Amino acid sequence: MTPFGRRVRDLRAQRGVTLTEMARAIGVTPTYLSALETGKRGRPTWALVQRIIAYFNVIWDEAEDLQRLAEISRPRVVVDTAGLSPQATELANLLAREIGHLPPEAVAELLGRLKILRRRG
């Protein structure tokens, strides 16, 4: 599941909306919306994100958060390390190979650490 898909699913649950109801209202199939929520479909288009924001009638901060989550919700990521250090290439390859085997706590720890490092830079 992607961060965007999880948030959409949470919004639907909070408001008591079924997948079919929402899909019809925003002009997509229930199958597509389910795939978007579970991460089996790629990042949603800007237009679809706008329809979802309008559907839930969310305030500005939450709308910005949904847009940000959509931007970071690519279920299949390609990392280009050309021109970077050998360590960067090793890190990318190791993460690609091992991420599916890491426990959720380790993923959360690595994500938190990367966010801290990004803020420093």
Side-chain angles (χ1 to χ4, degrees):
M1 182 173 285
T2 66
F4 179 79
R6 180 178 29 189
R7 185 68 186 122
V8 169
R9 184 173 282 177
D10 289 348
L11 285 168
R12 278 194 316 98
Q14 290 168 5
R15 289 168 169 80
V17 177
T18 69
L19 190 103
T20 301
E21 291 168 338
M22 181 178 168
R24 228 179 260 135
I26 64 171
V28 298
T29 66
T31 303
Y32 175 81
L33 184 56
S34 175
L36 187 62
E37 284 186 358
T38 60
K40 292 183 174 112
R41 292 293 296 199
R43 183 172 64 172
T45 65
W46 182 86
L48 181 57
V49 174
Q50 296 308 306
R51 290 196 311 261
I52 292 169
I53 287 169
Y55 177 77
F56 287 121
N57 195 29
V58 296
I59 60 172
W60 289 104
D61 289 346
E62 195 165 6
E64 288 176 0
D65 189 48
L66 276 170
Q67 289 173 330
R68 182 188 63 79
L69 290 174
E71 290 172 11
I72 62 167
S73 289
R74 290 185 188 128
R76 291 185 179 100
V77 179
V78 175
V79 179
D80 182 2
T81 61
L84 299 179
S85 70
Q87 292 86 3
T89 300
E90 181 181 2
L91 174 62
N93 280 276
L94 184 60
L95 185 58
R97 188 177 67 233
E98 298 298 328
I99 196 163
H101 306 290
L102 294 174
E105 314 82 51
V107 173
E109 181 181 338
L110 288 169
L111 181 60
R113 183 70 180 137
L114 286 172
K115 286 180 177 180
I116 289 168
L117 291 170
R118 184 178 63 192
R119 278 187 238 128
R120 287 185 190 169

